[in-house]
Amino acid sequence: MSDVLERPGRWTRRLAPRGERSPWRQPLAVLGAVVLVVWLLVAALAPLLAPFDPLEQSGDRLAAPGGAHLLGTDSLGRDVLSRVVFGSRLSIPVAVALVVGCLVVGAVLGALAGYLGGWVDEVVMRVADMVLAFPTIILAMVVAAALGPSLVNAVIAILLVNWPQYARVTRSLVLGAKTREYVVAGRLLGAGPWTSLRRDILPNVAAPVLVLATLDVGSAILVLSGLSFLGLGTVPPTPEWGSMVADGVQQFDAWWIGTSAGLAILSVVAAVNFVGDALRDALDPHTRSTVAGRAL
Amino acid sequence: MHRTLRHSLVVPLLAASAALALAACGSSGSAPAASSASGGTLVVDSTFDLKTADPARSYEFTGELLGHNVYEHATTFEGTDLTKPVPELTTFAFSPDNRTLTLTLNGEHKFADGTPVTVDDIVFSYQRVQGITGSPSFLLDGVTVAKVDEKSLTLTTTAPNLALPAVLANPSLGIVEKSLVVAHGGTTGTDDAAEAYLNTASAGSAAYQIDTLDVSSKIVLKRNPNYVGTAPTWDKIVIENVAPATQKLNVQSGTAQIALDISPDGTKGVDGGSTTVINGISGFTVYTFFAADAEHGKAASDPNFVAAVRHAIDYSKLLDIAGKGSVQPGGVVPVQFPGALTSDPTNSYDVAKAKELLARSTYAGEPISYLYASDVTVQGLRLELIAQSIQADLKAVGITLQLDPQPAATYYSTLRSNTVQAALSYWGPDFPDASNYLAFTPGQGVAKRANWTADSATGQQVAPLVAAAQAASADTRNAAYQDLQRTLNEVGPIVPLLQPAQSVVTTTTVSDVVPSPLWLLDLASIH
């Protein structure tokens, strides 16, 4: 079938105006990609890069940046640089895993709701509406507080509050796609609902959902750090950026603690957003045109 | 342990980072220091936990500050000496059996409206505290108050209670003007309706009286024109509710003359120039415990394990975190109270000994769940830092502590469920006497959290010492309480860790500021 019928995904991609600069040649996208690669390298090579064991009380308490401790020490005399470096090992992979989890749960439920309709649609969407009715961080705080502070519980909390946005986007895309001729043709050729969803619909709705997921990595890092900041995420003494900012707020004079971790969060979140924007432009030129005011 | 707690403020994450960055660029305030000419206004910054200004109902820190400075008491303590109560409104004497305390009016004292303080006022005030059954009522549990004549009254207890003179100095036992309070609905029962009046005005005889009061933001005190003691320096005292970080800025800029809640780390670098740091010792005892029963304590209930912990903790490191002024007491009784142990070799840092004791215990490396309050500070000291430091110390000898941080909202209920394996906690004194610390003995309040019962083997070992301390005469009780604490250290599951500092930052324009663990400050003595 795919040989006979054009797929909208390919079609829209061809529609991209010729002569446009590739999104990947935009300075912010390049900057984002570089920063992100640097952080991924830092996370991968943390034991080699960190000058000290992040849990070791290796210096005087609250020593200012300089000397053996480039970013100073925290309230217990632990090296802030080493903790920021090791913090990346936690924040980045967990945020990515979190988004993948939300994506899978949300996309599957959304696709089923959109494709099957009826009571499945009603149930899934009403539950999603219920979750979306609460502010994300408040609901995540309630769940994390009820389950007790730990990284796993924080992940569960964020997963519970974050899947509906994927469900909604996927459902609306599936609703639009399922009446397309190529999907109907597929069904007429004998494909079952699963095959139809997997083979005909999924490839054509994947791009916007993936863009959403990429942009969501940044906010996942923020929410995760936020929970740790509030004492509902990682348990001490695990090095984590959010809890380091919390420590910094308690030690307002030792500005280096909170600022270092805060800048780490800022740089990763900004980098992920830049890359996400570029990805959106590449995969979804329609939105880019809308943003540029050309769709009118 | 019973008071309202000060919680850390929660601010958005990135906003906090940005603020920190700004703080990095900032410097201390440059506004001119306020003048401290006699007769002016003294501004004191504090974090409020005030619920009421009625002394018979108040049992919070800010209430203690108010209670001491607005109301006089039968007895008081002078300066930093908490070993000996001295007469204020009354002199006092025990009967030979130490069951009856006779209070006799100590000269003439006058309320703010000029009315003399009488025995009736004292009897009414005590009976009101008992009758209202508010938070401080327990202070006079089992005490019968009776007027003898126009000059004296008696307080009678069924068992000897040598701590009573110290108890009477508690800010909640302030003497109110009976006629005034009764006129505003005051009674000696639960139908008392004078709280509203006492929240807007005072009925006391101390150096100051309430001018205006807002329980959440500001208290203004003015002189009591009829005060019979030495007239205070300041005409007016303004006590403001200010966050600790702002307190520091205020005192550096001279907007406030005294800041009460700057953390030990926050006071670093403030001493000198236009500000001075006064480091006192607080009355809090920070302690840790391991459940004494096998069901909850598991391997941690082994006495050898607890003995190993006592030697594994680097107490000097804890004192470094707690800041200048903090001390390690020998037992659970604070060092400045009578009957305290100043040191005890049972609680000393000795890694080799800790390892040796641990080897003798049944502990085999399993994680020990360790509860602590993640958002609670004691005199500005963050308990989470103490918990993490202990975790690192115990790791060095081979003990794995698995931290279980909980916000205060759930921490206290978890602690009071008496099911935790180990925990970090603290105790604030109700009155400066060793008998207040019987709560740490088997079967009593604190020991119950660790499931340390009176009928356990170690409980039976401690029981005779408790009885001896309670029955001891004035001459022998200090030694008896010290013996009791040594035994608690040897066989008990509770490890006293430190007393945090009580740091007060002042401008150099004020003097004679003496921090008190009982009522924060005696405002009348500040010049």
Side-chain angles (χ1 to χ4, degrees), chain B residues 418-438:
Chain B
N418 302 345
T419 56
V420 298
Q421 190 175 17
L424 178 70
S425 193
Y426 64 99
W427 175 273
D430 301 300
F431 48 88
D433 189 87
S435 61
N436 193 213
Y437 292 80
L438 290 173

Side-chain angles (χ1 to χ4, degrees), chain B residues 352-370:
Chain B
K353 201 166 181 181
K355 284 182 176 170
E356 181 195 325
L357 287 160
L358 191 65
R360 273 193 249 156
S361 77
T362 53
Y363 180 71
E366 60 270 41
I368 305 287
S369 174
Y370 194 69

Side-chain angles (χ1 to χ4, degrees), chain B residues 201-258:
Chain B
S202 51
S205 57
Y208 287 98
Q209 55 178 323
I210 294 173
D211 187 3
T212 60
L213 182 143
D214 180 333
V215 291
S216 60
S217 61
K218 190 165 153 182
I219 303 166
V220 179
L221 304 179
K222 59 183 181 188
R223 284 172 189 268
N224 166 5
N226 292 301
Y227 179 57
V228 297
T230 310
T233 301
W234 304 91
D235 274 344
K236 211 170 229 189
I237 309 258
V238 177
I239 307 167
E240 294 177 316
N241 186 11
V242 176
T246 316
Q247 285 185 24
K248 188 170 175 177
L249 294 174
N250 283 354
V251 80
Q252 283 179 323
S253 66
T255 311
Q257 282 80 54
I258 300 175

Side-chain angles (χ1 to χ4, degrees), chain A residues 59-135:
Chain A
D60 291 339
R61 297 180 62 239
L62 304 172
H69 302 280
L70 281 179
L71 293 180
T73 61
D74 70 3
S75 307
L76 287 170
R78 297 172 298 206
D79 184 54
V80 171
L81 174 62
S82 305
R83 290 181 70 77
V84 169
V85 167
F86 270 88
S88 66
R89 291 198 126 189
L90 200 136
S91 296
I92 298 172
V94 171
V96 171
L98 200 60
V99 169
V100 170
C102 292
L103 177 85
V104 170
V105 174
V108 168
L109 289 175
L112 288 177
Y115 193 85
L116 299 177
W119 67 268
V120 177
D121 187 24
E122 282 296 319
V123 170
V124 172
M125 285 302 110
R126 291 305 76 78
V127 173
D129 287 346
M130 224 159 59
V131 175
L132 286 170
F134 293 95

Side-chain angles (χ1 to χ4, degrees), chain A residues 53 55 57 61-62 75-76 78 83 145 149 221-222 225-226 229-232 234-237 241-242 245-255 257-259 261-263 265-266, chain B residues 8-14 16-17 19-21 23-24 245 248 263 265-268 317 320-322 372 374 377 382 384-386 388-389 391-393 395 403-407 410:
Chain A
D53 177 345
L55 304 183
Q57 296 172 20
R61 297 180 62 239
L62 304 172
S75 307
L76 287 170
R78 297 172 298 206
R83 290 181 70 77
I221 292 176
L222 269 183
S225 301
F229 175 81
L230 296 169
L232 297 169
T234 51
V235 174
W241 294 340
V245 173
D247 190 25
V249 170
Q250 297 286 338
Q251 303 287 2
F252 223 66
D253 292 323
W255 55 267
I257 306 172
T259 308
L263 287 177
I265 297 172
L266 179 73
Chain B
S8 56
L9 291 172
V10 172
V11 291
L13 196 71
L14 288 175
S17 311
L20 281 162
K248 188 170 175 177
S263 70
D265 287 323
T267 60
K268 283 178 186 164
K317 209 163 72 185
D320 186 34
I321 295 169
Y372 69 93
S374 54
T377 61
R382 290 155 60 199
E384 62 177 343
L385 296 182
I386 299 296
Q388 290 184 52
S389 188
Q391 184 192 40
D393 287 345
K395 191 180 168 195
L403 298 185
D404 177 15
Q406 291 191 16
T410 58

Side-chain angles (χ1 to χ4, degrees), chain B residues 93-100 160 162 473:
Chain B
F94 273 105
S95 63
D97 65 357
N98 292 331
R99 285 185 166 86
T100 304
L162 286 165
S473 67

Side-chain angles (χ1 to χ4, degrees), chain B residues 380-471:
Chain B
L381 170 66
R382 290 155 60 199
L383 291 182
E384 62 177 343
L385 296 182
I386 299 296
Q388 290 184 52
S389 188
I390 291 173
Q391 184 192 40
D393 287 345
L394 297 198
K395 191 180 168 195
V397 299
I399 298 172
T400 309
L401 280 195
Q402 194 168 40
L403 298 185
D404 177 15
Q406 291 191 16
T410 58
Y411 165 81
Y412 290 103
S413 55
T414 310
L415 189 71
R416 287 171 188 147
S417 68
N418 302 345
T419 56
V420 298
Q421 190 175 17
L424 178 70
S425 193
Y426 64 99
W427 175 273
D430 301 300
F431 48 88
D433 189 87
S435 61
N436 193 213
Y437 292 80
L438 290 173
F440 288 80
T441 59
Q444 301 302 311
V446 177
K448 272 187 198 164
R449 310 281 169 255
N451 288 298
W452 194 24
T453 56
D455 55 4
S456 63
T458 50
Q460 288 173 358
Q461 214 173 326
V462 174
L465 290 146
V466 173
Q470 283 175 316

